[in-house]
């Protein structure tokens, strides 16, 4: 039983928030939980792709891809192929719709699943992750063990564990704002608004060899 009235915009938005909150509560109980779902600002997506030097020759993976904006932008702007993995079903639907709307669905694959369970990272030439430090630490060994030497790992705001990855850090770029300000002004966010680019070494370190 219950009303059959379609929800208005405000009601629909509230329903989306409630659904997302419910989903996040269930994700937190998962041992592979990587952190809250948060989209990278579009300006920073473009900055990340530029800093990483993404081209049509790349295969870009995004672990925890949210609405797929990194992959869609990489495909639309550079012609790169991409694979996104996202545990939130609603975000997966948005990402697939975004790829279709941009006309790059032939280049972008969005998977509904667990980023920790990805088995084909070796084909990625670039892997993006916008996660909290705990999430980065959880993926750290898998990234080093699975990715091909010479491939790049790009993180936003939070770096990979220093003790394992700092010697492989090629670029750290601080950006003053997450959006274009036109005439300037506003708060300088460069203290935390950073992009980190790492290069997977030819010889894999011992710490990544042993399975968790």
């Amino acid at each position: 039983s219950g009303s059959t009235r379609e929800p208005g915009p405000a009601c629909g938005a509230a329903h989306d928030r409630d659904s997302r909150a419910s989903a996040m509560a269930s994700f937190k109980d998962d041992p592979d939980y990587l952190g809250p779902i948060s989209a990278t600002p579009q300006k920073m997506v473009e900055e990340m792709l530029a800093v990483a030097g993404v081209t049509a020759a790349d295969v870009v993976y995004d672990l925890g891809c949210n609405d797929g904006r990194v992959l869609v932008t990489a495909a639309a702007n550079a012609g790169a192929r991409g694979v996104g993995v996202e545990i939130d079903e609603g975000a997966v639907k948005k990402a697939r719709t975004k790829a279709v709307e941009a006309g790059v669905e032939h280049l972008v694959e969005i998977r509904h699943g667990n980023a920790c369970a990805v088995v084909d990272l070796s084909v990625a030439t670039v892997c993006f992750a916008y996660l909290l430090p705990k999430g980065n630490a959880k993926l750290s060994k898998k990234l080093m063990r699975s990715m091909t030497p010479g491939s790049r790992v790009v993180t936003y705001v939070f770096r990979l564990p220093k003790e394992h990855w700092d010697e492989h850090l090629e670029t750290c770029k601080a950006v003053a704002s997450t959006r274009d300000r036109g005439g300037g002004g506003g708060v300088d966010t460069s203290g935390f608004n950073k992009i980190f680019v790492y290069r997977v070494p030819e010889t894999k370190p011992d710490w990544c060899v042993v399975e968790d």
Side-chain angles (χ1 to χ4, degrees):
S1 63
S3 172
T4 58
R5 179 177 62 85
E6 290 295 322
C11 182
H15 179 268
D16 287 345
R17 289 195 298 271
D18 290 345
S19 297
R20 178 63 60 85
S22 176
M24 290 307 300
S26 64
F27 297 157
K28 286 182 179 179
D29 295 330
D30 192 308
D32 289 332
Y33 175 69
L34 295 176
I37 297 170
S38 181
T40 306
Q42 183 60 33
K43 177 187 175 182
M44 298 309 302
V45 169
E46 294 166 7
E47 290 271 5
M48 289 163 69
L49 293 170
V51 172
V54 171
T55 71
D58 282 308
V59 178
V60 180
Y61 273 52
D62 189 352
L63 303 182
C65 69
N66 197 289
D67 64 2
R69 64 183 63 188
V70 170
L71 303 171
V72 170
T73 304
N77 292 0
R81 291 182 292 133
V83 175
V85 183
E86 175 56 58
I87 199 169
D88 181 87
E89 190 172 1
V92 168
K93 292 177 181 177
K94 289 181 181 179
R96 290 172 177 166
T97 297
K98 191 182 287 286
V100 171
E101 290 175 347
V104 296
E105 69 273 19
H106 61 294
L107 292 173
V108 175
E109 175 190 354
I110 304 296
R111 301 174 184 170
H112 180 213
N114 182 347
C116 293
V118 175
V119 297
D120 58 352
L121 272 178
S122 61
V123 306
T125 58
V126 184
C127 184
F128 286 87
Y130 176 22
L131 303 169
L132 293 175
K134 183 178 180 179
N136 283 342
K138 193 174 287 289
L139 286 176
S140 172
K141 185 179 291 187
K142 183 180 188 69
L143 290 168
M144 182 64 80
R145 182 173 59 236
S146 302
M147 293 188 71
T148 303
S151 56
R152 293 97 79 200
V153 180
V154 184
T155 67
Y156 174 50
V157 179
F158 301 106
R159 64 205 300 150
L160 291 171
K162 291 183 178 182
E163 66 274 20
H164 291 151
W165 282 90
D166 261 20
E167 64 180 298
H168 310 296
L169 179 65
E170 287 194 341
T171 305
C172 174
K173 180 176 181 178
V175 182
S177 176
T178 59
R179 64 186 188 277
D180 291 318
R181 290 176 173 156
V187 177
D188 185 341
T189 62
S190 58
F192 65 87
N193 190 43
K194 296 179 179 180
I195 300 166
F196 302 92
V197 182
Y198 303 86
R199 180 82 58 173
V200 176
E202 290 295 327
T203 302
K204 300 294 183 74
D206 291 341
W207 60 263
C208 80
V209 176
V210 181
E211 294 279 356
D212 291 323

